[in-house]
Amino acid sequence: MTDLAVNGLDGFKQRIDTREARIGIVGMGYVGLPLALLFSEKRFAVTGFDIDARKVEALNRGCSYIVRIPGAEVQSAQENGFRATADYSRIALMEVIIICVPTPLNEHHEPDLSYVTGTVEAMAPHLRQGQLIILESTTYPGTTEEVVVPLLEQGNLSGLRVARDAAAQGFYVAFSPEREDPGNDTVARCDIPKVVGGCGPVARDMAAAIYGAIFNRTIPVSSPAAAEMTKLLENIYRCVNIAMVNELKQLCLRMGIDIWEVIDAAKTKPFGFHAFYPGPGLGGHCIPIDPFYLSWKAKEFDFRTRFIELAGEINSQMPYFVVENVIEALSQQGKALRGARVLVLGLAYKRDIDDLRESPSLTVIELLQQRGALVEYNDPFFATVGQGRKYALNMSSTPLDQIPEFDCVVIVTDHTQYDYAKIVEAAKLVVDTRNATKGIESVNIVRC
Ligand SMILES: NC(=O)c1ccc[n+]([C@@H]2O[C@H](COP(=O)([O-])OP(=O)(O)OC[C@H]3O[C@@H](n4cnc5c(N)ncnc54)[C@H](O)[C@@H]3O)[C@@H](O)[C@H]2O)c1
């Protein structure tokens, strides 16, 4: 077990180099599991903590529940000592503990930190001198210092306090945002620079040292709050730019201009422009949610985050815009939406992933159903879909060979394995929200 007062930062770095440092990762989800596998790949002994007994059991059987992670990767991690557990007393055996639990919004659109506080309260009694605790869950600036540190201190039975310099006794705390982009294979995970902010310089350097063992570049910043804000800036930047391009798409449609052609031309500019693409609305665990963590916190400072609010307004209207286009497209063919058979292609919130959290497809389906359409879906990543946090769809994926039986096919998620030419050929009407049918000529395509 580490005792930094005795061994110092150099001792910690040495235990990283020799792989004696044991890593605990709390939350074996889309973020925590790949991170655990990355540490395992670099020969660290990793323990994955999760309260979901099915996940713990699956991992210990060498199975994966995330489509893009093959079971073989879990099995080779097991050979390097990877084990999953729900037993928090094993926190005491870890040298570094990284928290990757969900940070959703509650029904009032406010931060729901209950997973983070639940995790921290469960960990606190098992903390030991010299351990490093890192929060990775996306959250508002101030969470690490104002929520995590006090709960760790209050819950610790040995009265340990956060250590803010090398001379202090206690445990070390840092924040490091997760920057994964699911489905994006263009950048290797280890090439995504890792931002770290510590409660004091020792915690920051320890966090940089541990991540430096698996990432090629670490970016130390002055505080956990700066690291927390960095993540929010990145996601708000995306959210606002997507809203802008979604608004411009609607204008371009009225003006008879192809927004996709315009973006392709604009992105040839070698400086000062980054391409964002319009779509049926925001999805995923990050972009639709994270900005509201900041708006909520901003109120404490009597500050209104107007860009975030406006972007939220435009982006959340996009599924309604899609449904209006379906209604109009059907009416052009002399049909009403009520009673029409509509097939929604793609449930996932973006292409080629098996994640439907906050997916605009779910909203589109619900809006179509509310307006009397008979809706089915196809998604190669979801054979069935049941009860979600917001929606109770209880449907199974309809095979694509049934396309001719539908009055309208709506492309909401542009999975690459779809053969769009074949889909267009078979369909009576295609409403394309992603420009997936680019280059295909047909009077039956409505692009919106
Ligand atoms: N998914 C992404 O692409 C992504 C990208 C960047 C940041 N993030 C952020 O990372 C964090 C985690 O997201 P995710 O997508 O991995 O979530 P997830 O829902 O896939 O996984 C979270 C896991 O935590 C477990 N869990 C919940 N409470 C727990 C507790 N008290 N103790 C132990 N385990 C617990 C759940 O059972 C689940 O397995 C969130 O803050 C999210 O905003 C996610």
Side-chain angles (χ1 to χ4, degrees):
M1 181 53 51
T2 334
D3 187 344
L4 272 180
V6 179
N7 300 320
L9 189 58
D10 288 343
F12 179 74
K13 286 182 177 167
Q14 202 181 338
R15 282 187 300 284
I16 293 173
D17 290 343
T18 57
R19 302 304 192 245
E20 284 167 80
R22 295 184 66 171
I23 317 285
I25 298 185
V26 186
M28 289 284 94
Y30 288 94
V31 167
L33 179 56
L35 186 65
L37 298 178
L38 204 53
F39 274 113
S40 275
E41 242 175 64
K42 299 285 178 183
R43 295 178 297 99
F44 284 93
V46 181
T47 305
F49 294 81
D50 206 293
I51 48 171
D52 185 336
R54 285 166 311 170
K55 285 186 178 167
V56 170
E57 194 258 335
L59 292 173
N60 286 336
R61 268 192 295 116
C63 299
S64 163
Y65 37 80
I66 296 178
V67 168
R68 69 199 141 87
I69 298 178
E73 282 188 30
V74 178
Q75 290 148 28
S76 48
Q78 284 177 320
E79 284 165 24
N80 285 335
F82 173 69
R83 295 289 177 275
T85 183
D87 177 6
Y88 266 96
S89 68
R90 292 176 67 184
I91 287 285
L93 304 172
M94 305 297 129
E95 184 139 2
V96 178
I97 301 137
I98 303 177
I99 303 171
C100 306
V101 295
T103 43
L105 295 171
N106 67 19
E107 64 275 22
H108 307 297
H109 242 57
E110 291 165 348
D112 172 4
L113 282 184
S114 60
Y115 296 94
V116 172
T117 55
T119 299
V120 172
E121 282 165 350
M123 278 170 51
H126 308 290
L127 288 189
R128 296 282 177 267
Q129 168 88 13
Q131 283 175 316
L132 170 65
I133 297 104
I134 307 172
L135 179 65
E136 281 214 9
S137 304
T138 308
T139 184
Y140 58 79
T143 307
T144 307
E145 285 284 12
E146 295 162 17
V147 179
V148 174
V149 167
L151 285 176
L152 288 175
E153 290 185 339
Q154 284 155 27
N156 181 253
L157 305 175
S158 336
L160 288 176
R161 292 283 171 270
V162 67
R164 292 183 185 273
D165 57 54
Q169 302 276 305
F171 51 82
Y172 294 83
V173 179
F175 181 86
S176 179
E178 166 54 49
R179 284 172 145 175
E180 204 200 2
D181 183 14
N184 180 350
D185 297 327
T186 58
V187 188
R189 190 89 193 281
C190 60
D191 285 330
I192 303 173
K194 198 80 174 103
V195 173
V196 292
C199 299
V202 182
R204 178 200 60 207
D205 292 348
M206 288 172 76
I210 190 65
Y211 285 123
I214 57 166
F215 290 99
N216 292 330
R217 203 168 150 218
T218 54
I219 315 289
V221 294
S222 61
S223 63
E228 289 159 340
M229 190 66 163
T230 302
K231 172 72 184 177
L232 292 183
L233 169 62
E234 291 166 9
N235 282 357
I236 292 163
Y237 168 77
R238 286 190 64 75
C239 175
V240 167
N241 278 287
I242 291 168
M244 183 194 66
V245 86
N246 274 334
E247 187 179 66
L248 288 183
K249 167 174 86 167
Q250 295 174 58
L251 173 63
C252 282
L253 277 167
R254 274 197 207 176
M255 296 175 75
I257 298 169
D258 179 353
I259 183 78
W260 299 88
E261 181 190 1
V262 172
I263 296 169
D264 281 348
K267 77 179 188 196
T268 60
K269 186 179 178 186
F271 46 85
F273 183 83
H274 183 90
F276 287 86
Y277 296 96
L282 293 181
H285 191 288
C286 296
I287 315 285
I289 291 174
D290 303 347
F292 295 102
Y293 267 69
L294 189 62
S295 329
W296 178 84
K297 186 68 177 173
K299 289 191 190 121
E300 193 182 308
F301 296 84
D302 197 17
F303 192 93
R304 231 182 99 205
T305 49
R306 286 170 293 164
F307 270 105
I308 295 174
E309 285 168 31
L310 180 59
E313 207 178 290
I314 294 173
N315 288 328
S316 62
Q317 284 305 308
M318 294 313 293
Y320 292 84
F321 176 76
V322 172
V323 170
E324 277 164 29
N325 275 273
V326 173
I327 293 172
E328 175 60 24
L330 281 167
S331 100
Q332 289 294 331
Q333 294 197 346
K335 293 177 190 164
L337 180 62
R338 181 163 296 281
R341 290 193 68 191
V342 179
L343 182 66
V344 168
L345 290 195
L347 273 193
Y349 75 84
K350 68 174 185 173
R351 88 162 66 116
D352 301 342
I353 62 163
D354 61 331
D355 189 346
L356 50 71
R357 287 177 293 178
E358 311 295 324
S359 173
S361 306
L362 304 177
T363 316
V364 167
I365 290 174
E366 189 185 48
L367 293 176
L368 289 168
Q369 284 176 333
Q370 282 169 356
R371 286 154 182 75
L374 307 169
V375 187
E376 296 181 35
Y377 82 91
N378 172 278
D379 193 309
F381 293 92
F382 297 96
T384 58
V385 60
Q387 174 78 47
R389 260 192 320 130
K390 281 198 226 148
Y391 302 103
L393 297 178
N394 301 317
M395 296 158 97
S396 304
S397 182
T398 298
L400 293 177
D401 59 12
Q402 292 183 25
I403 281 180
E405 295 166 26
F406 287 84
D407 296 299
C408 180
V409 171
V410 190
I411 301 170
V412 184
T413 314
D414 50 345
H415 291 309
T416 45
Q417 61 179 272
Y418 284 140
D419 182 336
Y420 292 101
K422 261 192 177 166
I423 288 167
V424 170
E425 201 180 296
K428 296 185 182 96
L429 173 65
V430 174
V431 173
D432 178 4
T433 69
R434 298 277 193 180
N435 204 30
T437 57
K438 181 181 175 185
I440 302 171
E441 294 294 328
S442 167
V443 288
N444 293 333
I445 301 173
V446 171
R447 297 187 175 95
C448 73

